[in-house]
Amino acid sequence: MNYLLGAFKPACNVLISFNDGKNRKQVPFKKENGQMVTVPLFQSQENIAGKITVEPMQGKKIDHNGVKVELLGQIEMYFDRGNFYDFTSLVRELDVPGEIYERKTYAFEFSTVEMPYETYNGVNVRLRYVLKVTINRGYAGSIIEYQDFVVRNYSPPPEINNSIKMEVGIEDCLHIEFEYNKSKYHLKDVIIGKIYFLLVRIKIKNMDLEIRRRESTGSGTNTHVETETLAKFELMDGAPVRGESIPIRLFLSPYELTPTHRNINNKFSVKYFLNLVLVDEEDRRYFKQQEITMYRLEEEAS
């Protein structure tokens, strides 16, 4: 019986480490099983280098057909779980076929890696970057080890950032004008604006401003759209009067926001909206939605 148990033990331990792992910023990362771990943070065009240590179990040797490491950028749809679409795939061959009797360390390096998309964990899709080590053993079953890392890409402030001005109304009942100071916001920004009541003939009970994230996955008839309300901010409680002006000041830093993602590898998009909601005394809801663009500012790299 002990012999049988031993047959299912792994033949070796595989450890993947990054050369600058101790000095590089670590960020929280949610694994497939829901466990939270910390992993290194990179951005596009960086070098990804490190060491892979293969240590056979006591008294065992590993016959193999080669050892390799891959750097993969992958998109996985949750309705097609287990099928990964690779948009980045780089390979380094580490060893020719042979035997490993004792602890062996391989150095690897991927230089100025193009990683155009950010790591993203959504409702129906995830985008991940991973190092995958394969010890190819043919019929004996390959030994595979993964190491996740996170990619974030930073943008300079946009040169043109127009304000948003819109009018919304119900004929002869309600006419309001709202203004937001800009249309593009970084993740730690503040939304500043004003709402003017030009005509009020219905009894407004309260007014909220919501931040909504809309995630679209797939295409054509297979498009899945998920909308989440990430924040709800009460602008007013009670009835406004004609000529009244209500200020808006909404800090974005407390919320779990990502940059806007537009048609990533023809697989998914993530958009953000400001949704103005008015509720009257009969609990009828009136709302106006406006898209905003989110970006990750370079100063946030600290």
Side-chain angles (χ1 to χ4, degrees):
M1 187 65 186
N2 286 340
Y3 171 75
L4 280 174
L5 286 171
F8 294 107
K9 284 184 181 175
C12 64
N13 286 324
V14 179
L15 180 69
I16 305 168
S17 61
F18 295 93
N19 284 351
D20 55 358
K22 288 182 180 175
N23 302 322
R24 183 169 286 278
K25 184 176 178 180
Q26 306 281 314
V27 293
F29 179 79
K30 192 175 185 178
K31 296 182 79 168
E32 276 179 278
N33 58 10
Q35 181 189 359
M36 292 300 291
V37 294
T38 55
V39 298
L41 175 65
F42 290 88
Q43 64 188 78
S44 190
Q45 304 295 334
E46 281 201 90
N47 295 343
I48 297 180
K51 291 184 175 64
I52 291 155
T53 303
V54 178
E55 190 165 11
M57 289 300 178
Q58 189 87 30
K60 286 195 174 185
K61 70 168 184 176
I62 302 165
D63 289 303
H64 65 87
N65 299 329
V67 180
K68 67 179 179 180
V69 59
E70 296 168 87
L71 190 156
L72 302 172
Q74 302 180 317
I75 296 170
E76 181 189 27
M77 305 290 190
Y78 290 155
F79 55 80
D80 190 17
R81 198 178 279 276
N83 277 340
F84 291 97
Y85 303 92
D86 294 352
F87 57 86
T88 293
S89 180
L90 304 169
V91 186
R92 297 286 181 271
E93 298 291 343
L94 301 176
D95 207 349
V96 295
E99 297 174 337
I100 301 174
Y101 294 95
E102 58 188 359
R103 181 179 175 140
K104 194 167 184 179
T105 299
Y106 304 96
F108 70 90
E109 181 170 1
F110 297 95
S111 302
T112 54
V113 183
E114 184 75 37
M115 296 179 284
Y117 311 128
E118 284 209 358
T119 301
Y120 177 73
N121 259 322
V123 179
N124 282 324
V125 62
R126 70 171 174 150
L127 187 152
R128 71 168 187 171
Y129 290 90
V130 67
L131 290 174
K132 177 184 178 183
V133 175
T134 305
I135 302 171
N136 192 338
R137 297 199 302 164
Y139 293 117
S142 294
I143 298 165
I144 297 173
E145 186 68 32
Y146 295 96
Q147 171 62 55
D148 288 288
F149 60 94
V150 165
V151 171
R152 289 179 185 166
N153 291 321
Y154 305 96
S155 306
E159 289 180 13
I160 298 170
N161 198 348
N162 297 322
S163 62
I164 298 170
K165 289 184 180 179
M166 292 187 77
E167 291 186 12
V168 57
I170 304 159
E171 197 173 348
D172 296 331
C173 292
L174 178 70
H175 188 182
I176 62 174
E177 197 174 81
F178 60 87
E179 183 179 337
Y180 304 119
N181 62 330
K182 47 193 177 183
S183 52
K184 298 170 184 172
Y185 295 89
H186 64 79
L187 303 187
K188 308 292 182 194
D189 219 333
V190 184
I191 294 171
I192 295 170
K194 278 185 180 176
I195 294 168
Y196 304 96
F197 288 88
L198 305 174
L199 177 67
V200 187
R201 286 189 179 149
I202 52 176
K203 293 185 176 178
I204 302 292
K205 189 166 66 172
N206 63 290
M207 180 166 64
D208 297 323
L209 182 65
E210 298 173 339
I211 301 173
R212 289 188 166 192
R213 174 163 58 214
R214 184 182 298 162
E215 178 189 284
S216 308
T217 51
S219 59
T221 53
N222 287 330
T223 303
H224 297 251
V225 178
E226 287 284 345
T227 302
E228 298 172 88
T229 300
L230 304 177
K232 196 170 183 179
F233 181 72
E234 187 176 77
L235 296 175
M236 182 193 74
D237 188 10
V241 295
R242 182 180 171 181
E244 193 168 354
S245 167
I246 292 174
I248 298 170
R249 194 175 185 85
L250 176 55
F251 290 84
L252 297 178
S253 52
Y255 306 111
E256 293 277 326
L257 305 174
T258 70
T260 296
H261 297 305
R262 298 192 192 280
N263 199 19
I264 300 299
N265 214 50
N266 294 323
K267 292 285 183 277
F268 73 95
S269 296
V270 179
K271 296 179 179 179
Y272 287 88
F273 296 86
L274 293 177
N275 193 36
L276 188 65
V277 183
L278 291 91
V279 183
D280 70 12
E281 288 191 334
E282 293 173 25
D283 280 332
R284 287 178 298 207
R285 293 163 65 84
Y286 310 91
F287 52 88
K288 187 73 176 178
Q289 197 161 264
Q290 175 64 40
E291 186 179 354
I292 56 172
T293 300
M294 302 299 303
Y295 64 96
R296 193 182 296 281
L297 191 62
E298 285 173 301
E299 279 74 18
E300 293 170 32
S302 60

